[in-house]
Amino acid sequence: MTPREPAERQLERVLHALAVAAREGGASLAELAAELGVAPERLLRDLEEVTARAYYLEPPVDIDIGIEEGRVEVWTTGEFRRPVKLSPREALALTLGLRLLAEESAAERAAALRALAARLDAGLAAVSAAALAEDFALGAGDPAGEGQLAALREAARERRPVELRYLKPADVEPETRALHPYALVHSGGRWYAIGHCPEAAPAGGRAPAIRAFRLDRILAVTPLGGSFEVPSDFDVQDYVATGPAGIPRGSLFRAQETLEVTVRYLPRIARWIEEQVLGVLQPDGSILVRHVVADPGWLVRHVLYHGADAEVVEPPGIRDLMRQRIEQIRISQEEKEWSEAAS
């Protein structure tokens, strides 16, 4: 059985044929069929289906198709007088998509995709940047959460309440939450703000509701008036043990000191890393990421997890720590092999 042709392919032929045949003098059926890569009989059936459906479409379509002595002529009110044209925003979206596909394609296909994107760019050159950006919220933002980290640090130090715009997992719109930030902590490579959330406070004057908010999900931090006191019995380790919402179980680190570490991820995993964190793509396809961490041990484990595809660039102290850990692993592995051989 001959596989059924996709409807979009037939639609492409019809839209092109109608636009060409609507020009003065029409078009040769044979030449048009050859241009579209189909037999004249196939194109003729396409056009007959258009005329058959034109009479019961709602609203009715003003279109007449004449075929005489091997030529096709189309009369229409205007909608089909030119090939389908992309709007500037559609063209912009398409050129971005083509470039993303090119990054993941073989050399020959990548070159063809980039050439097509360049043709779209040429058409966009006449459109002002302001017009293209009109419906877009463009900007680097703060994907690493460093601005929020600084604002929350100050609020925790000065005992000042804040308002958060927080986007929970699977939510489409962020919610507004008030927070008395008691502590900023680091766990599993992520920052968390832990404190009293008035909206979640239980009734009856019982202990305040303690909540944790991941900084990479905080979109904005706004200082509020007033002040708060951290309860004398508050211990962040208590909340690690019970695993409150948003905090993984395991070791947790106070945010008194942080360290900036630059890691290079090789091209094989660079695209995946770029989807997780903000980084700078390099000409060779690798990506440099600046991590702000409170636990050097986590950073070492993180890099070792990626094996040869990740390398600490700076600072030298962390590079030395990596070498020490790798040497420890090597010695441990050799001792294990000697022990197995001896047994």
Side-chain angles (χ1 to χ4, degrees):
M1 180 182 294
T2 304
R4 185 177 178 84
E5 181 184 48
E8 59 265 26
R9 190 174 303 168
Q10 184 183 27
L11 177 61
E12 289 174 0
R13 283 200 306 270
V14 168
L15 293 176
H16 180 83
L18 292 179
V20 173
R23 299 168 184 168
E24 186 176 355
S28 164
L29 179 63
E31 292 176 1
L32 194 52
E35 183 180 342
L36 292 169
V38 296
E41 294 77 12
R42 170 70 264 191
L43 180 57
L44 191 58
R45 286 200 302 274
D46 292 338
L47 296 174
E48 288 173 348
E49 288 186 24
V50 173
T51 56
R53 287 164 170 74
Y55 296 105
Y56 58 77
L57 289 177
E58 290 292 340
V61 177
D62 289 329
I63 183 170
D64 287 327
I65 300 176
I67 302 173
E68 194 171 333
E69 296 182 356
R71 295 194 67 80
V72 182
E73 292 190 56
V74 172
W75 178 90
T76 177
T77 53
E79 290 84 352
F80 298 105
R81 288 183 180 175
R82 60 171 177 80
V84 176
K85 183 178 180 180
L86 297 173
S87 71
R89 292 178 182 83
E90 290 170 336
L92 177 61
L94 183 55
T95 188
L96 291 173
L98 289 170
R99 285 191 166 85
L100 286 174
L101 287 174
E103 291 296 324
E104 300 174 354
S105 301
E108 184 176 350
R109 176 171 168 78
L113 291 169
R114 291 192 181 100
L116 183 55
R119 290 176 58 189
L120 289 169
D121 285 342
L124 287 170
V127 183
S128 70
L132 284 174
E134 184 178 316
D135 293 336
F136 295 90
L138 302 176
D142 185 29
E146 294 175 21
Q148 281 82 309
L149 179 60
L152 286 165
R153 267 201 184 123
E154 182 178 356
R157 184 173 59 250
E158 297 181 358
R159 302 289 190 262
R160 181 188 305 166
V162 295
E163 182 181 83
L164 307 180
R165 288 187 68 235
Y166 190 73
L167 185 63
K168 294 193 296 187
D171 278 6
V172 176
E173 296 292 336
E175 62 181 16
T176 301
R177 303 291 292 272
L179 177 70
H180 298 172
Y182 290 171
L184 290 169
V185 294
H186 189 272
S187 178
R190 300 185 186 278
W191 285 100
Y192 299 84
I194 301 179
H196 167 48
C197 187
E199 292 96 334
R206 290 178 289 169
I210 304 299
R211 294 291 184 267
F213 296 90
R214 267 177 49 176
L215 261 69
D216 60 333
R217 292 177 180 158
I218 296 175
L219 305 183
V221 178
T222 304
L224 299 175
S227 62
F228 64 85
E229 293 296 328
V230 179
S232 58
D233 60 350
F234 172 78
D235 185 347
V236 71
Q237 295 296 332
D238 294 341
Y239 298 93
V240 181
T242 56
I247 293 213
R249 296 178 182 273
S251 59
L252 203 63
F253 295 84
R254 293 273 187 167
Q256 302 302 321
E257 296 183 4
T258 58
L259 184 68
E260 293 185 2
V261 182
T262 302
V263 178
R264 181 191 302 276
Y265 300 90
L266 299 189
R268 195 171 74 90
I269 63 170
R271 182 62 61 186
W272 179 82
I273 293 294
E274 190 181 20
E275 293 176 356
Q276 313 302 315
V277 293
L278 180 67
V280 180
L281 284 173
Q282 304 299 300
D284 65 354
S286 64
I287 184 171
L288 288 178
V289 176
R290 183 169 60 89
H291 295 280
V292 181
V293 299
D295 174 19
W298 170 83
L299 192 282
V300 170
R301 294 190 297 273
H302 169 77
V303 173
L304 288 174
Y305 171 80
H306 292 292
D309 288 318
E311 173 194 13
V312 174
V313 177
E314 57 182 4
I318 297 297
R319 288 179 60 86
D320 292 341
L321 192 61
M322 287 294 306
R323 281 192 287 266
Q324 294 171 17
R325 182 64 183 126
I326 291 171
E327 181 65 13
Q328 290 172 358
I329 293 173
R330 184 187 66 79
I331 293 173
S332 176
Q333 183 63 29
E334 288 180 353
E335 291 176 347
K336 179 180 178 182
E337 292 173 356
W338 292 337
S339 175
E340 291 175 352
S343 62

